[in-house]
Amino acid sequence: AAAPRRDLILYSHGNAEDVSISIEYLEEVAQEVQADVFAYEYVGYGSSALNGDKPSEAGCYRAVEAAWRYLVLTLAIPAHQIIIFGRSLGSGPTLHLASQAFLILPPGVCNACTLCSNARLSCARHSPSECGGVVVQSGLESGARVAFNKCVSIACFPLDIFRNYRVVPKIK
């Protein structure tokens, strides 16, 4: 019989860092908790910044969702074996992903699942809400609240990014 697969940490890095800066830290984490680690890059960070791509909240969400789809669809890692981990800025994409009951999937990716194949939505087997856990290290309450204060985030609500305080209650 095949050995059971280890848990996997889906890692979302902090601001002013990229995956290459995080490698040593991630190796330590993997060793300490005996789990595999999958780190990905946000649009506008790392090598994509060299292409002229700009960082954005929406780009961070697209990147974490793409990473999730790759893990559950291409690598066939069950959702319950994935721990979603965000550090600092990475708390935004992490909490966004963990709060999603369903993600849009490409057609025909999960023919075994009626929900996946018919509605193009992820089933419980592929749903981020069924992840093995959520870890936030030095998380942001919101972008504006980090830089200024709660009053500024309320006054400038449309401009505030990563409003994690609104997402946390949605996490299962």
Side-chain angles (χ1 to χ4, degrees):
R5 180 181 267 167
R6 293 181 353 157
D7 285 341
L8 182 135
I9 296 169
L10 172 56
Y11 179 75
S12 299
H13 66 74
N15 194 26
E17 63 182 83
D18 59 31
V19 172
S20 67
I21 293 171
S22 307
I23 290 174
E24 210 172 293
Y25 170 72
L26 296 175
E27 286 174 343
E28 245 178 77
V29 168
Q31 225 173 11
E32 191 64 35
V33 300
Q34 293 296 298
D36 296 319
V37 175
F38 183 89
Y40 66 97
E41 199 57 84
Y42 310 129
V43 174
Y45 283 74
S47 61
S48 77
L50 300 174
N51 298 333
D53 294 330
K54 302 286 182 218
S56 70
E57 183 178 15
C60 290
Y61 294 158
R62 280 194 322 272
V64 75
E65 289 177 9
W68 178 267
R69 285 185 193 98
Y70 178 76
L71 294 174
V72 298
L73 299 176
T74 304
L75 299 182
I77 299 171
H80 70 271
Q81 285 191 263
I82 302 172
I83 293 98
I84 309 170
F85 183 142
R87 179 174 170 174
S88 184
L89 175 82
S91 64
T94 291
L95 295 173
H96 163 78
L97 183 65
S99 71
Q100 303 301 303
F102 301 104
L103 291 179
I104 302 296
L105 300 175
V109 295
C110 182
N111 294 323
C113 304
T114 307
L115 182 59
C116 288
S117 58
N118 290 341
R120 291 189 56 203
L121 295 175
S122 57
C123 63
R125 188 170 135 217
H126 298 120
S127 173
S129 68
E130 298 298 320
C131 71
V134 179
V135 176
V136 173
Q137 179 184 16
S138 306
L140 309 179
E141 187 176 7
S142 83
R145 289 181 185 192
V146 166
F148 304 105
N149 60 39
K150 188 174 182 175
C151 293
V152 170
S153 89
I154 292 168
C156 300
F157 184 80
L159 304 174
D160 194 8
I161 62 168
F162 299 121
R163 291 176 239 155
N164 292 337
Y165 62 93
R166 299 189 80 187
V167 177
V168 169
K170 298 176 185 176
I171 297 173
K172 186 173 150 187

